[in-house]
């Protein structure tokens, strides 16, 4: 499409500022504009704009890397919490939280396999429930205790430990499951053969490894083959492999094809 003069002027004006939206302190106006744009996008695709969040990336490559980074961290967070409770037997904060039915039911009595197969929605809900539990148990210094809890958990996350050490620690703390494939450290990612070129790079940068890509063939419309995807999911489930994410395409670079997100969503659930 042809460029319009007002757009060109606005673009050049923005370049002069070299604005960095990393924090509101450095970009009080454009950060607010970004939040408003994200809310509009959330409403456009049917999400709750008061709950959802996001940011405007520089392009598909950064967006794909960030999406897999979030998926990796969220997938492994419940297991990190369980490990933290096992490793902090003498911590006063954790001793008090251990008495909570929420912690006992959802972390202390769960196998690592259960913790690794929670949906993103369940993980977010659990996190919110833990914070509410801290508020109830420590009403006078809730902020201090919440920060202490977060800092302690952080030490046992994949962000801090790295993939190799994280899963090694998990195997040590779940000895009955240490030989299971889902604790080996391998995390599978489903994608189509006409995937975006940045995805192998993302797998490499995040330490997941390109060999963990599960390429599914596409059909005559260049959409991911739902039957082939369903069959491969069943195979990996039988092998007890850990599946990290399913990367769908809504407008492929070469063909402009759109995956059947409704069917893929049902399979992922």
């Amino acid at each position: 499409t042809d460029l319009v003069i007002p757009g060109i002027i606005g673009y050049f004006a923005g370049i002069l500022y070299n604005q960095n939206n990393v924090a509101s302190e450095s970009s009080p106006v454009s950060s607010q504009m970004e939040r408003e744009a994200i809310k509009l996008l959330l409403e456009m695709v049917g999400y709750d704009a008061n709950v959802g969040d996001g940011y405007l990336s520089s392009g598909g490559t950064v967006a794909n890397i960030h999406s897999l980074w979030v998926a990796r961290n969220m997938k492994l967070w419940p297991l990190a919490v369980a490990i933290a409770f096992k490793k902090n037997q003498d911590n006063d904060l954790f001793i008090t939280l251990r008495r909570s039915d929420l912690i006992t039911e959802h972390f202390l009595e769960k196998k690592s396999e259960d913790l690794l197969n929670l949906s993103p929605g369940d993980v977010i809900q659990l996190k919110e429930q833990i914070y509410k539990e801290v508020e109830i148990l420590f009403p006078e210094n809730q902020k201090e205790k919440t920060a202490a809890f977060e800092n302690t958990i952080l030490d046992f996350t994949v962000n801090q430990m790295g993939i190799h050490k994280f899963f090694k620690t998990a195997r040590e703390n779940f000895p009955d499951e240490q030989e299971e494939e889902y604790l080996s450290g391998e995390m599978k990612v489903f994608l189509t053969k006409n995937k975006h070129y940045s995805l192998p790079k993302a797998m490499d940068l995040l330490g997941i490894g390109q060999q963990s890509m599960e390429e599914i063939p596409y059909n005559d419309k260049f959409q991911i083959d739902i039957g082939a995807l369903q069959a491969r999911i069943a195979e990996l489930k039988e092998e007890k492999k850990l599946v990290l994410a399913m990367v769908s395409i809504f407008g492929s670079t070469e063909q402009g094809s759109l995956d059947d997100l409704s069917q893929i969503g049902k399979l992922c659930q």
Side-chain angles (χ1 to χ4, degrees):
T1 57
D2 292 334
L3 298 175
V4 293
I5 298 299
I8 295 174
I9 294 173
Y11 176 69
F12 282 122
I15 287 177
L16 296 175
Y17 282 96
N18 189 28
Q19 198 63 59
N20 188 338
N21 283 355
V22 70
S24 298
E25 290 80 5
S26 62
S27 54
V29 176
S30 54
S31 288
Q32 179 59 33
M33 293 173 65
E34 180 181 45
R35 284 191 287 270
E36 292 176 5
I38 292 299
K39 281 191 173 184
L40 291 174
L41 290 171
L42 288 167
E43 291 171 354
M44 187 185 300
V45 296
Y47 289 153
D48 186 345
N50 296 317
V51 176
D53 201 357
Y55 77 106
L56 302 179
S57 74
S58 61
T61 295
V62 172
N64 281 331
I65 293 172
H66 193 191
S67 296
L68 282 176
W69 176 76
V70 170
R72 184 199 69 179
N73 297 346
M74 181 174 289
K75 184 78 169 179
L76 302 180
W77 186 82
L79 186 55
V81 174
I83 293 172
F85 273 99
K86 289 175 179 289
K87 301 284 281 186
N88 284 274
Q89 304 281 350
D90 301 326
N91 183 305
D92 290 340
L93 170 60
F94 281 72
I95 289 173
T96 303
L97 286 172
R98 274 176 168 275
R99 304 190 190 113
S100 163
D101 291 338
L102 173 72
I103 299 300
T104 301
E105 180 182 348
H106 292 284
F107 294 101
L108 303 182
E109 294 180 351
K110 291 291 187 181
K111 296 173 60 178
S112 66
E113 182 179 15
D114 300 323
L115 295 167
L116 288 170
N117 282 291
L118 294 172
S119 71
D122 288 340
V123 175
I124 292 172
Q125 187 177 35
L126 269 178
K127 197 169 186 178
E128 291 175 348
Q129 288 174 340
I130 290 175
Y131 291 156
K132 288 180 181 177
E133 198 76 7
V134 172
E135 185 176 354
I136 293 170
L137 294 171
F138 305 98
E140 296 181 0
N141 52 353
Q142 178 243 331
K143 289 185 178 180
E144 176 189 336
K145 295 298 184 181
T146 299
F149 174 80
E150 289 179 338
N151 290 333
T152 304
I153 297 298
L154 186 62
D155 289 338
F156 297 95
T157 61
V158 68
N159 313 56
Q160 295 289 313
M161 303 179 84
I163 291 175
H164 174 74
K165 186 177 180 181
F166 177 84
F167 280 98
K168 180 176 180 292
T169 305
R171 290 191 296 271
E172 292 170 352
N173 285 274
F174 290 88
D176 294 341
E177 301 173 79
Q178 61 181 344
E179 299 299 327
E180 298 289 356
E181 277 295 319
Y182 49 79
L183 287 184
S184 67
E186 183 180 27
M187 294 177 282
K188 295 292 188 178
V189 175
F190 290 112
L191 32 74
T192 56
K193 289 187 178 293
N194 57 341
K195 61 189 177 298
H196 193 266
Y197 66 87
S198 67
L199 287 165
K201 186 191 306 180
M203 299 286 285
D204 185 4
L205 288 170
L206 294 172
I208 302 168
Q210 295 186 22
Q211 291 183 4
S212 293
M213 293 190 301
E214 286 286 331
E215 289 192 343
I216 307 299
Y218 46 72
N219 58 24
D220 56 359
K221 296 180 181 179
F222 299 103
Q223 300 171 313
I224 191 168
D225 188 316
I226 298 295
L229 174 61
Q230 188 172 17
R232 189 58 184 142
I233 289 175
E235 290 174 357
L236 292 182
K237 187 175 181 180
E238 183 69 23
E239 297 169 7
K240 292 193 172 183
K241 298 278 190 180
L242 179 59
V243 176
L244 175 62
M246 166 69 225
V247 181
S248 304
I249 298 178
F250 206 68
S252 61
T253 303
E254 291 82 8
Q255 302 93 4
S257 56
L258 308 175
D259 284 339
D260 189 339
L261 300 184
S262 176
Q263 288 297 319
I264 293 171
K266 290 177 182 177
L267 280 179
C268 290
Q269 290 175 354

